Amino acid sequence: MLKMSQITKVYRTELVETHALQGLDLHVEEGEFVAITGPSGSGKTTFLNIAGLLESPTSGAYLLDGEDVSRLNDRARSRIRNEKVGFIFQSFNLIPDLNLADNVDVPLRYRGWSAARRRDIVGKMLDRVGLGARHNYLPSQLSGGQQQRVAIARALAGQPRFLLADEPTGNLDSEMAEAVMGLLETINEQGTTIVMVTHDPDLAHRAHRNIHILDGQASDVPDLAPGNVMQFSESLRV
Amino acid sequence: MFNYYLRLALSSIRRTPVLSALMVLALGLGIGAFMTTFTVYHLMSGDPIPHRSDMLYAVQLDNWDPNRPPTESARDVRAQLTWQDGNNLVLADTPATRQVHMYGTGAVVVPEGNDPPFDESVRATWHSFFPMFDVPFLYGGPWGQAEDEARAGVAVIGRELNDKLFNGENSVGRDLQLDDQHYRVVGVIDDWQPMPRFYHSDWGRAFEDTEQVFIPMNRAIDLQMGQRGNTNCWKMPDEDLPLFEGFLKSECVFTQFWAELETPQQVAAYKDYLDNYVRGQKAIGRFERPLATFISDVMEWMDVMRVVRDDNRVLLRLSFLFLLVCVLNTVGLLMAKFMGKGGEVALRRAMGASRRQVFQQNLIEVGLIGVLGGLAGAGLAWLGLRAVENMYRGYQHLVHLDAVMLLTAIATATVFAVLAGMYPVWRVSRLAPAGLLKTQ
Ligand SMILES: Nc1ncnc2c1ncn2[C@@H]1O[C@H](COP(=O)(O)OP(=O)(O)OP(=O)(O)O)[C@@H](O)[C@H]1O
Ligand SMILES: [Mg+2]
């Protein structure tokens, strides 16, 4: 479903050139649940941005569903983001002055669907994350875990086949993190492909496959026990 | 999508009430100041009688003190005539289609019944006044040549006075008492307010009300009704004559004189006529200065009279600059406001909004601020014009804050807000969509 080859990304500022990705090769199959690990600054977020068409690679090829998407114009990229990709962020990123239903509605607005159809989907999505009774709540009236569930409902509203999550449990305590992880697993079982960046080795271990990014290059990590992954990351950081 | 954007704009404005209020205020002040000066300027510089302004000519004759500096333009000559010159011309067989000679006076109106008497301005004029200046009649019509010659006690009154004295009924044939004299009403003028009031636009009088009473000039002269308005004399009236007669036969100017000239040939012939008239007067010892006569059509006359004063022009320019400053200020405030929008924009972009959609959404917000600024501006312009009215006597007709003005204010403010917003909105739409993930 996703195939990147020899992707590089260079950030140029006046003072420095940062090679965030340096010839990254990576592919994800339809229906997979992939966890990305790696030390801070290794390029995980950069990878997600490119995978989600929020940024363009400096060089390399990126095929999404067999289509080369690395050189599309803004409109086409926005459309693909809207139709194929869902995002979940560490800090939820709900719009504070919109109620839950309107927050979940955001991606659907750019779909051009009728109000009835949108309302129907929003209701279903909020039900699915267990917040069906709280359409008119504002984000500030929810706990962190509940907010992240709303964000997941939003990411799923447009029925994307591809879900990108950047440390979705990073701001949650372990109990809430567990609930969110459980939700992601259910979603994956129902067919959505998930790529999740995480620092939590236990969560990473629950994914089908772990990919480790180091210095802007990816490598598949063999099936390691949770403890070993930790050690592995630690050792790489030195 | 428009409704959605509008809703988002409203909630965004509510989210930053102070900043939004500042922007609305900045735009409102700029628009308000500009609308105020523009309205004043527009009314001052307008053509008060568009379909006839190029055939009506104000007449000037230079009868002044021979020791004064030489005359170079119409502005150097008195705007008014002596009674004797005006009277000679109005009685003469000149090349003009029509002529009118007149002056402003006043009288106490004594209503029938028990209502208290009150003072009214009166225009003492000739019957030609009404057709020349295209005065609309509600009832009846002007008096005629016969009444002028008979020095008759007839009057034309304005609608306002007719409402007051006769409850707005057709008062033709009714009696009107001015001071201790009785007049027969022959006509009632409908609402009529040329702006500026060109036919008597002495310094400061160009925006005064039209008179509510018109009577034959000959009658007013017979009754020795005193002039109201500027009177200029360069030498004392003959003291051997009775006071009023001495004044009439003096070199004092206090009457207005207009001629209707329809073709260039007529204009040239009339000008020759005036020159010959002055030559004739020189022969009997008057008009000691070099020959100078001027005729100016309405718009030229407004210029000669400096109805639009130079300070109005300066003010208009200044207020436009002020508007620009306000708009620049709004740009700054918008930049500040949109700075806080990075998060939401990145989010919407991630959810599939294109640059264009982000641009539209924010442009609508800016437009909404513009509409609010326009409303504020119209309100301030209204206050500003009220203030102008109170400061200057005779500006009462400057303002009617009507729908047109309100719409103009809103449209202007919206256009300027959108112009001001273009750059910030463009900037916001170019924000990197990746921003969200990176700032974690
Ligand atoms: N917009 C940018 N401009 C300049 N340099 C950048 C930019 N974005 C990322 N970088 C640099 O690229 C490198 C990779 O950053 P990235 O955010 O992908 O790391 P990460 O693996 O997600 O780290 P973390 O685990 O801390 O989130 C870093 O050195 C970072 O400083
Ligand atoms: Mg990161």
Side-chain angles (χ1 to χ4, degrees):
Chain A
M1 154 153 224
L2 172 159
K3 189 163 175 7
M4 287 186 180
S5 39
Q6 286 304 303
I7 293 285
T8 68
K9 180 70 187 178
V10 183
Y11 292 110
R12 287 195 183 83
T13 61
E14 278 169 28
L15 294 175
V16 286
E17 254 186 21
T18 309
H19 294 260
L21 297 178
Q22 317 188 34
L24 177 124
D25 290 310
L26 196 153
H27 72 273
V28 176
E29 297 298 334
E30 182 105 43
E32 268 194 308
F33 191 153
V34 176
I36 309 268
T37 57
S40 186
S42 56
K44 303 183 298 294
T45 298
T46 305
F47 157 71
L48 277 192
N49 277 334
I50 291 173
L53 276 67
L54 292 174
E55 284 186 295
S56 298
T58 308
S59 70
Y62 173 22
L63 303 183
L64 185 63
D65 282 337
E67 180 191 4
D68 184 357
V69 292
S70 52
R71 295 281 172 268
L72 295 174
N73 67 18
D74 178 70
R75 206 169 159 168
R77 296 159 66 80
S78 301
R79 197 189 170 92
I80 292 177
R81 275 203 298 279
N82 184 247
E83 289 177 357
K84 292 193 177 172
V85 187
F87 289 93
I88 304 171
F89 312 97
Q90 179 174 354
S91 47
F92 327 138
N93 287 312
L94 301 177
I95 299 174
D97 46 344
L98 297 186
N99 65 28
L100 303 193
D102 286 336
N103 263 289
V104 174
D105 193 31
V106 169
L108 302 179
R109 286 285 179 170
Y110 300 107
R111 203 52 86 78
W113 285 348
S114 73
R117 184 166 179 194
R118 284 188 283 110
R119 209 177 313 119
D120 182 51
I121 295 178
V122 167
K124 276 190 188 135
M125 288 301 144
L126 282 173
D127 282 343
R128 188 161 170 197
V129 299
L131 291 165
R134 305 201 179 177
H135 282 223
N136 293 320
Y137 278 51
L138 289 176
S140 57
Q141 295 168 310
L142 301 183
S143 73
Q146 288 168 327
Q147 288 188 43
Q148 190 60 302
R149 270 147 59 196
V150 176
I152 292 172
R154 179 180 62 192
L156 294 176
Q159 282 141 7
R161 288 174 29 241
F162 188 32
L163 202 58
L164 297 173
D166 199 354
E167 299 179 43
T169 60
N171 281 356
L172 303 177
D173 64 31
S174 56
E175 203 175 321
M176 288 186 181
E178 175 53 38
V180 165
M181 186 62 192
L183 188 57
L184 289 179
E185 281 174 327
T186 316
I187 291 161
N188 174 246
E189 276 157 25
Q190 289 165 354
T192 307
T193 310
I194 299 182
V195 174
M196 175 180 77
V197 168
T198 182
H199 279 125
D200 184 333
D202 292 328
L203 296 185
H205 187 63
R206 282 162 69 173
H208 300 169
R209 188 154 67 93
N210 280 9
I211 293 175
H212 196 80
I213 294 187
L214 181 62
D215 291 340
Q217 291 186 314
S219 54
D220 272 82
V221 180
D223 198 12
L224 292 173
N228 295 348
V229 175
M230 177 83 101
Q231 270 176 11
F232 188 56
S233 323
E234 291 297 314
S235 67
L236 286 170
R237 212 164 276 188
V238 193
Chain B
M1 225 48 189
F2 180 79
N3 288 341
Y4 182 53
Y5 291 154
L6 204 58
R7 236 180 70 209
L8 293 177
L10 276 172
S11 78
S12 168
I13 286 173
R14 247 181 275 127
R15 196 187 319 150
T16 52
V18 176
L19 211 51
S20 305
L22 281 175
M23 285 189 279
V24 168
L25 198 68
L27 276 173
L29 281 174
I31 297 286
F34 183 67
M35 291 285 295
T36 305
T37 52
F38 183 77
T39 308
V40 170
Y41 179 83
H42 183 71
L43 286 170
M44 285 182 164
S45 61
D47 185 340
I49 179 163
H51 49 294
R52 294 179 66 76
S53 59
D54 55 351
M55 9 173 165
L56 299 172
Y57 289 81
V59 173
Q60 285 169 290
L61 307 174
D62 189 1
N63 71 327
W64 222 241
D65 182 351
N67 299 317
R68 296 296 292 269
T71 294
E72 276 158 15
S73 75
R75 282 188 176 172
D76 300 333
V77 180
R78 298 287 138 182
Q80 306 186 100
L81 299 193
T82 62
W83 174 82
Q84 49 174 337
D85 289 322
N87 202 50
N88 289 340
L89 288 173
V90 81
L91 294 175
D93 184 19
T94 73
T97 307
R98 277 184 281 231
Q99 298 182 109
V100 66
H101 185 213
M102 57 190 169
Y103 75 108
T105 178
V108 171
V109 176
V110 185
E112 294 169 347
N114 297 327
D115 291 332
F118 53 90
D119 184 82
E120 274 290 346
S121 295
V122 173
R123 177 139 300 262
T125 185
W126 285 67
H127 70 284
S128 48
F129 178 92
F130 306 97
M132 268 178 85
F133 298 142
D134 203 16
V135 180
F137 275 84
L138 191 61
Y139 304 118
W143 64 82
Q145 176 79 30
E147 281 89 351
D148 273 328
E149 283 166 6
R151 318 175 92 81
V154 290
V156 164
I157 62 174
R159 184 181 187 148
E160 214 174 281
L161 185 64
N162 189 56
D163 287 347
K164 197 159 157 183
L165 293 179
F166 304 111
N167 291 321
E169 289 162 21
N170 184 348
S171 58
V172 171
R174 306 267 302 256
D175 180 74
L176 171 70
Q177 187 183 344
L178 300 178
D179 300 332
D180 55 354
Q181 297 290 315
H182 289 267
Y183 296 78
R184 182 170 49 87
V185 174
V186 295
V188 178
I189 294 175
D190 206 347
D191 292 326
W192 181 58
Q193 183 62 58
M195 182 61 64
R197 196 187 67 168
F198 63 97
Y199 63 78
H200 186 183
S201 52
D202 258 32
W203 176 261
R205 298 182 158 263
F207 300 98
E208 283 194 351
D209 288 343
T210 51
E211 292 83 356
Q212 289 292 308
V213 182
F214 299 78
I215 57 172
M217 187 177 190
N218 284 338
R219 180 80 178 180
I221 294 293
D222 288 352
L223 294 170
Q224 306 199 348
M225 291 172 77
Q227 81 293 354
R228 286 188 188 177
N230 281 338
T231 303
N232 302 90
C233 308
W234 63 271
K235 70 179 186 195
M236 292 305 290
D238 188 345
E239 290 179 1
D240 297 338
L241 292 172
L243 195 65
F244 194 76
E245 196 186 338
F247 178 63
L248 285 184
K249 294 187 172 158
S250 72
E251 293 296 333
C252 296
V253 295
F254 69 98
T255 69
Q256 299 84 47
F257 198 96
W258 288 78
E260 180 175 339
L261 308 168
E262 290 161 293
T263 63
Q265 293 81 349
Q266 218 179 348
V267 170
Y270 190 75
K271 182 78 167 66
D272 286 346
Y273 186 91
L274 289 180
D275 289 348
N276 281 330
Y277 169 76
V278 172
R279 284 189 197 103
Q281 293 294 310
K282 281 172 174 290
I284 58 169
R286 295 182 61 223
F287 289 88
E288 296 163 49
R289 292 168 65 79
L291 176 80
T293 63
F294 293 95
I295 55 175
S296 314
D297 72 19
V298 173
M299 292 316 281
E300 288 166 350
W301 188 237
M302 296 296 92
D303 189 46
V304 170
M305 300 299 284
R306 296 180 203 267
V307 166
V308 180
R309 282 140 52 185
D310 289 341
D311 46 354
N312 292 125
R313 285 183 232 276
V314 172
L315 213 56
L316 184 67
R317 252 171 262 150
L318 279 180
S319 69
F320 186 70
L321 285 182
F322 179 66
L323 174 59
L324 287 186
V325 169
C326 290
V327 168
L328 282 179
N329 231 312
T330 309
V331 175
L333 290 166
L334 279 172
M335 296 290 271
K337 182 182 167 88
F338 284 175
M339 205 89 92
K341 281 206 162 206
E344 189 190 328
V345 169
L347 181 76
R348 289 187 179 277
R349 298 279 281 129
M351 299 293 127
S354 63
R355 271 189 203 127
R356 200 182 149 144
Q357 285 169 316
V358 170
F359 187 85
Q360 286 168 346
Q361 179 197 329
N362 288 289
L363 202 62
I364 284 178
E365 179 169 343
V366 166
L368 187 62
I369 288 172
V371 170
L372 294 175
L375 281 171
L380 289 170
W382 186 81
L383 288 177
L385 289 167
R386 286 281 101 80
V388 169
E389 280 181 8
N390 288 334
M391 267 188 293
Y392 303 99
R393 186 181 67 93
Y395 279 29
Q396 281 81 347
H397 298 283
L398 282 184
V399 226
H400 324 276
L401 185 87
D402 49 10
V404 174
M405 185 162 156
L406 191 68
L407 287 179
T408 314
I410 291 175
T412 317
T414 310
V415 166
F416 276 98
V418 167
L419 284 179
M422 272 302 168
Y423 179 64
V425 167
W426 181 81
R427 278 275 300 261
V428 121
S429 74
R430 308 295 294 191
L431 282 178
L436 268 195
L437 293 162
K438 285 288 160 99
T439 49
Q440 282 170 20

